[in-house]
Amino acid sequence: MKHRNVLVVGGSGFLGRHLPAALSARGIRITVPTRRRGRAKHLILLPTADVVEADIFAPGTLERLARAHDAVVNLVGILHGRRGRPDERGPNDYGPDFARVHVELPQAILAACRANGVRRALHVSALGASPTAPSEYLRSKAIGEEVMLAVDDLAVTAFRPSIVFGPEDKFLNQFAAMPRFLPRPALPCPHARFQPVYVGDVARAMVAALDDPETRGKVYELCGPGVYTMKGLVGYVCAVTGRRRIVVGLSDRLSYWQARLMEWTPGPLMSLDNYYSMQVPNVCSGEFPFGIQPQAL
């Protein structure tokens, strides 16, 4: 089946800057809800895009938005949940912010699909997601993914990208800005491993899966060709931006306390839950799918 009308939930975020453009290039009509239409000016220019102001968490909103669509894409995710003590919670506990975004929203999307006869959904999860993962982020992502894949009346495909890079990403650009102000950056979890994937490749994979019935019920890991440690990644960013810095890797104990202190700052750069997430290698177990050759960092 060719899907011609797609609702993209979370389409005004970073990945949302690329996937709607890739869908529009194929002549697919897309609807992108956003709380503030001004945040999605780049999407308004797409010839097949309809950007609407809406609160996707408000009762009845998703049901209304899903009408006249034949597929729904969920790109919504957060890295920081509520402040708390994840080290004192059980392995199946997750904070209300993570629960609302990563679990309850997928449930609401499924309900909206059923109410409108939508039979296709794409869902972005996270690499390393597991019900027994050490962080609330990864646990809640796993539960949301399981919710989406457990249904038998919808064709659902899930994607687990590593750290996504590209223009305006918050990950590499944060590291690029750090050496401007810090002559000797002190990094938490210096040995944490990542396999960064280009945002355009993630969009290409999702577009490739949309009309492919063989992808139903499957989970695809998405990674680039290179594996980096946290320290190596920051050193690489320093090199390509022309800022020579001595990058200091913190011990595990100091990493823990740095994260614990930083999560109390406004708009935290890191939280204790991020620290726990970085205990899980963020690398793929196989090749990039759909015959796509992923871009190197």
Side-chain angles (χ1 to χ4, degrees):
M1 174 183 176
K2 295 290 184 181
H3 299 88
R4 310 311 301 171
N5 296 280
V6 179
L7 172 64
V8 182
V9 182
S12 60
F14 172 53
L15 179 53
R17 290 176 174 267
H18 294 261
L19 180 62
L23 293 170
S24 182
R26 292 199 171 195
I28 298 173
R29 299 203 61 82
I30 53 176
T31 301
V32 181
T34 179
R35 285 179 180 268
R36 292 184 293 276
R37 199 165 186 266
R39 292 181 56 192
K41 291 179 180 178
H42 54 289
L43 298 179
I44 296 172
L45 300 176
L46 296 177
T48 65
D50 182 17
V51 180
V52 298
E53 285 195 351
D55 179 3
I56 59 174
F57 293 99
T61 298
L62 284 172
E63 284 82 353
R64 173 175 55 82
L65 290 169
R67 292 171 192 158
H69 291 85
D70 48 41
V72 176
V73 178
N74 179 27
L75 305 178
V76 181
I78 57 172
L79 287 175
H80 302 291
R82 66 175 173 134
R83 292 168 175 165
R85 294 288 302 277
D87 53 327
E88 293 182 354
R89 300 175 196 151
N92 295 316
D93 295 333
Y94 47 90
D97 289 344
F98 286 121
R100 187 185 189 206
V101 175
H102 296 161
V103 182
E104 294 171 14
L105 180 61
Q107 291 173 330
I109 288 174
L110 291 176
C113 287
R114 292 189 175 108
N116 290 279
V118 180
R119 293 292 177 261
R120 183 64 169 131
L122 303 182
H123 175 74
V124 175
S125 183
L127 197 60
S130 167
T132 59
S135 71
E136 295 181 84
Y137 169 75
L138 291 174
R139 291 196 297 272
S140 61
K141 273 290 191 180
I143 295 169
E145 178 186 293
E146 290 176 358
V147 165
M148 294 292 291
L149 293 173
V151 299
D152 55 13
D153 55 341
L154 272 78
V156 179
T157 305
F159 301 86
R160 292 182 168 191
S162 182
I163 297 298
V164 182
F165 73 88
E168 300 181 357
D169 74 64
K170 293 183 179 179
F171 188 70
L172 287 184
N173 280 290
Q174 175 180 306
F175 291 149
M178 191 186 308
R180 294 173 57 189
F181 310 103
L182 299 174
R184 187 171 292 192
L187 291 180
C189 306
H191 302 297
R193 297 169 67 220
F194 303 93
Q195 198 168 349
V197 60
Y198 176 52
V199 64
D201 292 334
V202 176
R204 289 174 64 197
M206 297 184 73
V207 171
L210 180 63
D211 294 330
D212 186 351
E214 296 299 319
T215 65
R216 175 175 181 162
K218 293 183 178 179
V219 180
Y220 293 94
E221 295 183 344
L222 304 178
C223 288
V227 177
Y228 300 81
T229 64
M230 173 71 86
K231 186 174 181 179
L233 194 58
V234 174
Y236 175 77
V237 172
C238 288
V240 298
T241 54
R243 298 187 177 94
R244 301 184 60 158
R245 297 289 186 271
I246 298 175
V247 180
V248 179
L250 298 179
S251 67
D252 186 67
R253 185 175 182 83
L254 288 176
S255 296
Y256 172 90
W257 284 107
Q258 184 190 63
R260 191 161 184 174
L261 291 172
M262 289 180 69
E263 72 177 353
W264 293 98
T265 61
L269 296 177
M270 184 178 177
S271 68
L272 194 54
D273 198 70
N274 298 151
Y275 163 83
Y276 287 122
S277 288
M278 286 192 287
Q279 307 309 302
V280 180
N282 202 252
V283 298
C284 286
S285 58
E287 299 294 323
F288 202 93
F290 309 111
I292 296 171
Q293 296 298 317
Q295 296 277 351
L297 185 62

